[in-house]
Amino acid sequence: MAKENFDSPNFVPITEPDPKYILQVNDLKKYFPIKGGVVSKTVGYVKAVDGVTFNLERGTTMGLVGESGCGKTTVGRTILRLYPDKTAGQVLFEGKEVFDLNAKELREHRTKMQIIFQDPFSSLQPRMPVGEIIGEAVRQHGLVSKAEYNDYIDEVMDNCGLQPFHKDRYPHEFSGGQRQRICIARALALKPEFIVCDEPVSALDVSIQA
């Protein structure tokens, strides 16, 4: 079956990526198919993201505002290629189309693009101690030497309001606010150039949010 074309009639591809922008999103669409019938035929689509366009300059922060369920989280996950594909549009990170990257290139970009998930508990591996959760990607990507590893993880945890003795504890032993800190520490540990923050302080107490 031929793939349906969801590009808008007035869609204009970005032919010259602008180096002043770390991220360029052009008419991004992400639809989820609705299956029906005995053979699970696609009978329609849920248009979670439908024509989002924006540019993000380096060193700046942009807020995406909308009512609950409008697709904010889906935009972030699609930009980071946490979904296997997009429906239409372009996502250029540092001038490269994210969905054109091969496995090796995508792995390299993972250290540059991170996300702080909205639900801290469901995004943490319950069978791993916190120190391993925060440091797993650091070790996998070789960001610091073995000799510096423990001190580096301690520093990251301290910057996020966690103590070194927390490293051997598991996610269920922490409060909701502490689990949110773990998620923030995990994202910051890779020193990313771009972070998607999906309500990153919603579980923290009011004084810390401020």
Side-chain angles (χ1 to χ4, degrees):
M1 179 181 295
K3 184 177 181 180
E4 296 187 53
N5 182 13
F6 290 99
D7 282 324
S8 302
N10 58 351
F11 174 72
V12 179
I14 302 172
T15 55
E16 294 293 336
D18 193 332
K20 78 175 181 179
Y21 297 117
I22 189 172
L23 179 69
Q24 293 172 269
V25 178
N26 184 21
D27 200 27
L28 178 64
K29 299 181 181 184
K30 178 60 182 176
Y31 299 170
F32 295 96
I34 301 172
K35 301 292 184 179
V38 178
V39 294
S40 295
K41 181 181 178 181
T42 299
V43 296
Y45 293 90
V46 174
K47 298 182 179 181
V49 177
D50 194 20
V52 173
T53 299
F54 64 87
N55 296 327
L56 181 65
E57 293 188 24
R58 294 179 181 276
T60 63
T61 300
M62 187 196 79
L64 189 60
V65 181
E67 62 186 12
S68 179
C70 70
K72 302 185 298 296
T73 296
T74 304
V75 169
R77 288 173 175 264
T78 305
I79 289 172
L80 295 181
R81 199 171 154 180
L82 297 182
Y83 297 119
D85 56 23
K86 65 183 188 299
T87 302
Q90 290 180 302
V91 179
L92 302 183
F93 180 76
E94 295 186 327
K96 296 182 180 180
E97 170 58 63
V98 172
F99 285 88
D100 288 343
L101 300 175
N102 59 36
K104 181 180 179 181
E105 292 171 331
L106 183 61
R107 176 182 169 83
E108 294 173 352
H109 271 69
R110 288 300 184 204
T111 62
K112 301 179 181 180
M113 305 184 296
Q114 285 294 302
I115 183 172
I116 301 172
F117 292 99
Q118 182 176 352
D119 183 358
F121 190 64
S122 65
S123 66
L124 299 174
Q125 169 56 260
R127 294 182 177 85
M128 289 180 64
V130 165
E132 287 295 313
I133 290 174
I134 296 173
E136 182 181 25
V138 175
R139 182 185 292 111
Q140 289 291 328
H141 291 281
L143 296 184
V144 297
S145 67
K146 291 183 178 180
E148 301 172 315
Y149 175 80
N150 286 326
D151 289 340
Y152 178 73
I153 299 304
D154 288 346
E155 179 183 354
V156 172
M157 294 179 65
D158 181 64
N159 290 339
C160 295
L162 298 167
Q163 300 300 318
F165 63 83
H166 287 146
K167 286 193 296 186
D168 297 325
R169 295 185 180 180
Y170 291 83
H172 71 272
E173 299 180 76
F174 294 86
S175 67
Q178 288 175 316
R179 287 196 288 263
Q180 190 73 284
R181 293 170 186 269
I182 295 168
C183 290
I184 294 173
R186 178 177 58 184
L188 296 181
L190 293 176
K191 298 181 179 179
E193 298 177 23
F194 171 68
I195 305 177
V196 172
C197 300
D198 190 2
E199 300 188 23
V201 296
S202 59
L204 301 181
D205 61 81
V206 176
S207 62
I208 295 300
Q209 288 183 25

